[in-house]
Amino acid sequence: MQITFLSFDGTSYTVDADEGMTAMEAAINNGIDGIEGDCGGNCNCATCHVFVDPKWSQQVGEASPMEEALLASRSDLAENSRLACQINLVPELDGLVLQMPESQFI
Amino acid sequence: MSDAGVVIVGAGLAGATVATGLAQAGYSGTITLIGEEAYAPYQRPPLSKGVINGEIGVDALLVKPESYYAQKQIQLIKGCRVQSIQAEECRVRLDDGEQLSYSSLVLSTGSRPRDLPIKGVGLKHVFSLRGIDDAQAIKDALPEKGRLVIIGAGYVGLELAASCVKQGLDVTVLERASRVMERSASPQVSEYYQSMHEAAGVKVVCNVNVSALQGEHQVMAVEAEDGLTWPADVVVIGIGAVANTELAQKAGLKCDDGIVIDDQCRSSHANIFAAGDCTRQIHALLQTSLRLESVQNATAQARMIVAQIMNKPAPRSEVPWFWSDQFDIRLQIAGIVRPDYTSMLRGDPSSGSFSVLHMMGDRLQALEAINSPMDFTLGKRLIGEQIPVNTDSIIDESIPLYPQPVMPKSG
């Protein structure tokens, strides 16, 4: 399956991912800059923040209370905010588009 | 002016974050990242949890895939020790005699498990837990339903205990202090964790001074000063960590249980920076000297160094935070818990979700959140802003921790 990550400057990266991975793992494994994942994908640090393309929000679903609490720490929180480590790549998400916030680029 | 590049000594999370951060920021010189271990930089927190349980393989621990470093023109040298630093010449010497020049040097040498100076620690099946190889060795040594004795009830010891008791092992934790997690948690939280461990079948014994490990070749038992013994197939010693400062000390850098760095992460030598477990720094928000062993400290200091080298604005200082996962309980700590703070309970421990707040007068200084992620996030903000709060409303669970109701001005 394929996932597209959009950089804040509009650059687009489409990467191959395996079912069962998280969107964070797909980004890290493909060396995408802009997804940090300091805690290793443990839903602990909120450095893999992404904005879900509105077309995909339904399929991606809602954040858990733990994730929601971490997202609340982000100053760039938006309605379509999620943590990439909490998006499990199920087959229905083939083609998913995620935008990465500027703050995660050093 | 030619740039000799950045040399980073220590390829843990801090070192890796400096290297990848510089590459992402477009640093034009060479970036060399040198690590002692045989692995590319990896995440250590899962070692006491998913790795021991066999749920996570080594590849899943990597901070970046190994190919990333070459792609970004980061020279990653594994299995290599730096012998010495010639600070005046801006050079390091590797253990094979090679010398590397730098314009900036970053020391991210980490910490190592504290030694327990007693008889028998050299026996087979006695371990500490710091790296992938340690986790693998412990896993391989543990017989099914075997007896594991853990010396030290800190995070590593308790996380390991929780992982192993779940696998059906017979687990005993011996602690010298009068309670578990004594160094970092409040008595209320210690008590809660001890009871959780006991309920899961872990034997927790406090006030024990371990005096020897018994056995011929392989460890057989743990002996305490008072003569009590605990039979063991495997012993893991987890009594804290010591900063790796030897290289810095030899080079004449100021050290004091950690390489002393300023708020820009510079050591006493202007073009030598340091980050992570090996550092001691006056925390910009808390204004107190700390040596922190945490993921957040490692990455925050690393990003500060990237900003300094790239001449970019410094990232904002954050309240220190930590986490520990044991069983299905998540502990999140914000700030530094100190015994001189007044502690207050928010929520009911019997519900499985509560927080302990630590106050200095009317200001929140630290907070321990047990399965209370929103308290953690909002409490961290409250600690950072140091707003005076009403101590009645702050323990009222029906009111979010932030923003707190405005306090009436008193005469």
Side-chain angles (χ1 to χ4, degrees):
Chain A
M1 60 192 296
Q2 291 196 316
I3 309 292
T4 297
F5 293 95
L6 294 176
S7 180
F8 70 97
D9 62 5
T11 321
S12 156
Y13 306 90
T14 298
V15 303
D16 289 318
D18 296 332
E19 226 182 279
M21 274 184 178
T22 65
M24 185 206 92
E25 287 169 325
I28 298 284
N29 290 351
N30 287 284
I32 302 292
D33 296 333
I35 299 279
E36 284 158 356
D38 287 356
C39 76
N42 215 3
C43 196
N44 249 318
C45 71
T47 62
C48 64
H49 180 199
V50 289
F51 304 113
V52 177
D53 184 289
K55 285 196 290 274
W56 289 91
S57 53
Q58 199 114 61
Q59 288 97 313
V60 169
E62 305 264 299
S64 70
M66 181 63 75
E67 183 185 345
E68 225 160 63
L70 284 163
L71 283 168
S73 69
R74 300 283 319 203
S75 56
D76 45 7
L77 179 70
E79 210 149 88
N80 55 342
S81 286
R82 287 292 309 267
L83 295 181
C85 73
Q86 299 302 301
I87 300 177
N88 288 312
L89 297 180
V90 291
E92 300 80 75
L93 293 180
D94 189 8
L96 176 66
V97 179
L98 301 169
Q99 201 185 342
M100 302 180 288
E102 185 170 3
S103 56
Q104 274 161 205
F105 291 82
I106 289 185
Chain B
M1 196 180 87
S2 82
D3 189 337
V6 177
V7 171
I8 304 160
V9 183
L13 184 59
T17 306
V18 174
T20 58
L22 284 171
Q24 282 179 38
Y27 180 70
S28 57
T30 49
I31 305 168
T32 309
L33 175 60
I34 307 167
E36 282 184 11
E37 287 182 84
Y39 307 96
Y42 61 90
Q43 307 276 358
R44 294 186 195 278
L47 294 177
S48 52
K49 301 173 280 260
V51 174
I52 286 286
N53 282 336
E55 289 161 6
I56 299 179
V58 170
D59 279 354
L61 294 179
L62 297 182
V63 172
K64 298 279 183 194
E66 193 149 353
S67 58
Y68 179 91
Y69 299 93
Q71 261 170 40
K72 292 281 183 182
Q73 265 116 49
I74 297 167
Q75 197 196 355
L76 173 63
I77 307 177
K78 297 181 294 185
C80 176
R81 235 186 135 84
V82 171
Q83 282 250 306
S84 60
I85 303 164
Q86 283 84 49
E88 297 312 319
E89 288 90 43
C90 296
R91 261 199 327 247
V92 297
R93 178 191 287 274
L94 311 185
D95 55 6
D96 61 4
E98 197 192 331
Q99 303 211 48
L100 294 176
S101 296
Y102 59 78
S103 54
S104 299
L105 178 68
V106 178
L107 299 177
S108 44
T109 46
S111 57
R112 61 177 179 272
R114 186 183 298 279
D115 288 331
L116 181 62
I118 59 167
K119 200 181 121 227
V121 287
L123 289 167
K124 249 181 91 181
H125 286 186
V126 178
F127 303 100
S128 53
L129 177 51
R130 173 77 191 166
I132 286 177
D133 292 342
D134 300 326
Q136 204 58 50
I138 294 170
K139 213 169 135 221
D140 293 345
L142 283 169
E144 222 175 291
K145 299 200 161 58
R147 291 160 303 186
L148 167 66
V149 177
I150 298 167
I151 302 173
Y155 290 128
V156 171
L158 290 181
E159 287 177 1
L160 184 67
S163 305
C164 289
V165 81
K166 268 199 293 203
Q167 294 175 53
L169 289 147
D170 177 36
V171 183
T172 304
V173 179
L174 306 177
E175 169 58 47
R176 192 176 60 171
S178 60
R179 58 186 175 91
V180 304
M181 302 194 289
E182 192 236 13
R183 205 161 55 97
S184 56
S186 66
Q188 295 94 319
V189 168
S190 294
E191 191 190 322
Y192 183 77
Y193 273 84
Q194 181 162 348
S195 67
M196 285 296 146
H197 275 267
E198 285 168 350
V202 177
K203 281 160 271 181
V204 181
V205 192
C206 293
N207 301 307
V208 181
N209 262 318
V210 172
S211 55
L213 304 182
Q214 301 172 348
E216 282 275 315
H217 303 288
Q218 188 173 316
V219 73
M220 303 283 286
V222 178
E223 186 184 322
E225 252 170 22
D226 57 10
L228 281 176
T229 61
W230 290 268
D233 299 307
V234 173
V235 171
V236 178
I237 301 170
I239 54 169
V242 182
N244 294 325
T245 58
E246 288 76 4
L247 198 58
Q249 272 173 301
K250 246 181 14 189
L253 303 186
K254 190 176 172 206
C255 295
D256 170 18
D257 176 32
I259 303 166
V260 175
I261 54 172
D262 66 11
D263 52 8
Q264 299 174 339
C265 299
R266 267 176 227 274
S267 73
S268 57
H269 214 280
N271 63 340
I272 304 181
F273 297 89
D277 288 14
C278 65
T279 64
R280 171 167 292 280
Q281 184 181 36
I282 294 177
H283 193 276
L285 283 179
L286 307 182
Q287 284 303 310
T288 164
S289 169
L290 298 171
R291 186 173 82 74
L292 296 171
E293 295 163 11
S294 71
V295 163
Q296 179 245 337
N297 182 58
T299 56
Q301 290 182 336
R303 292 194 176 110
M304 173 62 88
I305 293 172
V306 172
Q308 293 306 321
I309 292 176
M310 297 304 292
N311 247 323
K312 291 201 165 186
R316 263 211 316 225
S317 182
E318 214 189 335
V319 173
W321 59 267
F322 316 85
W323 85 85
S324 175
D325 288 329
Q326 298 169 40
F327 310 110
D328 50 1
I329 315 164
R330 170 160 293 181
L331 169 64
Q332 294 166 293
I333 300 181
I336 306 294
V337 176
R338 286 190 350 204
D340 56 329
Y341 296 149
T342 309
S343 61
M344 295 192 310
L345 193 60
R346 176 179 157 94
D348 177 8
S350 69
S351 72
S353 150
F354 65 101
S355 301
V356 182
L357 310 175
H358 300 274
M359 309 289 297
M360 177 85 101
D362 57 5
R363 275 151 227 245
L364 185 64
Q365 303 299 327
L367 156 149
E368 297 158 291
I370 283 97
N371 286 340
S372 301
M374 206 46 110
D375 275 6
F376 169 71
T377 294
L378 301 180
K380 184 148 64 84
R381 197 180 289 179
L382 207 49
I383 295 166
E385 294 182 7
Q386 287 295 295
I387 306 164
V389 292
N390 180 308
T391 47
D392 290 326
S393 81
I394 201 171
I395 56 168
D396 182 346
E397 270 187 295
S398 66
I399 304 172
L401 267 180
Y402 188 98
Q404 280 288 304
V406 177
M407 290 237 296
K409 282 215 167 68
S410 57

